[in-house]
Amino acid sequence: MVSKLKCPGCGALFSSNDSSLSQTYHASSACEGQYHELSAWLWSKDAESFPKQYAVDAYGAQHVGPTTKDIRVAFSLIGLYLAVEKGYTGKMVQEAHQKLAQKKIVWPHFGAPATPYTVTVVDVLKRTSPQDHLLALNAWSADVWRNWGAEKQAWTRALCQRYLF
Ligand SMILES: [Zn+2]
């Protein structure tokens, strides 16, 4: 029997003999490997709208642990909000992040939500066809955004209202 390893961030199961953890994310190395594979694939897609940004924010918000920087969590939530509720392209999200990085904002500390995720990088990577990848990225973003709950969503909307719109 092959033992399954659960990613501490997104909860995805991996058949792997590698039980090491990512140095960058609250994730298993196996899960981070999938993310890098997806990122590399998306990198070449549609430079104009930059869909890779959706993956950056969905993965970032899904892999939050004790050592994750507060700004990374906040930027991930902001990116998810702009993508899911405002229909921003990845490129537009990137520009919003750049704008916010110039402001002197003290980012709050948010712990990861307790509810399990239903969509992970594994599901998105399965659908890396030119037709399907945007649908898969949108479903992933929406799932992560929903999982963070009403309180964090309200904080994100208010922050964007204050600094971006
Ligand atoms: Zn993971």
Side-chain angles (χ1 to χ4, degrees):
M1 200 183 97
V2 184
S3 65
K4 297 265 190 185
L5 292 168
K6 189 175 181 179
C7 172
C10 66
L13 295 170
F14 296 91
S15 303
S16 168
N17 296 321
D18 178 10
S19 61
S20 65
L21 293 173
S22 159
Q23 299 295 306
T24 314
Y25 300 94
H26 186 61
S28 63
S29 296
C31 184
E32 188 186 18
Q34 297 274 291
Y35 171 62
H36 288 315
E37 198 179 312
L38 177 67
S39 297
W41 190 86
L42 288 172
W43 187 254
S44 57
K45 299 286 164 284
D46 197 355
E48 194 70 23
S49 64
F50 197 56
K52 181 176 178 286
Q53 186 65 43
Y54 294 154
V56 169
D57 294 327
Y59 197 83
Q62 223 172 23
H63 295 84
V64 171
T67 60
T68 310
K69 288 197 169 67
D70 293 337
I71 188 171
R72 174 174 274 175
V73 182
F75 269 38
S76 299
L77 290 175
I78 290 159
L80 289 172
Y81 163 63
L82 295 173
V84 174
E85 293 194 7
K86 294 290 176 182
Y88 275 36
T89 64
K91 181 80 187 152
M92 289 161 76
V93 170
Q94 203 180 30
E95 286 162 3
H97 281 160
Q98 283 161 2
K99 205 168 154 186
L100 290 170
Q102 292 163 8
K103 315 270 183 200
K104 298 220 177 320
I105 300 170
V106 179
W107 303 103
H109 179 75
F110 292 150
T115 325
Y117 291 100
T118 53
V119 185
T120 70
V121 64
V122 181
D123 304 301
V124 182
L125 200 55
K126 269 187 216 148
R127 297 180 63 185
T128 46
S129 73
Q131 297 80 24
D132 276 2
H133 76 275
L134 270 181
L135 274 175
L137 285 168
N138 289 339
W140 188 22
S141 301
D143 182 60
V144 180
W145 175 239
R146 190 169 45 238
N147 229 31
W148 273 83
E151 190 193 321
K152 307 301 186 298
Q153 290 179 354
W155 174 86
T156 310
R157 289 188 196 103
L159 184 117
C160 291
Q161 191 68 41
R162 179 169 173 195
Y163 291 103
L164 292 176
F165 308 144

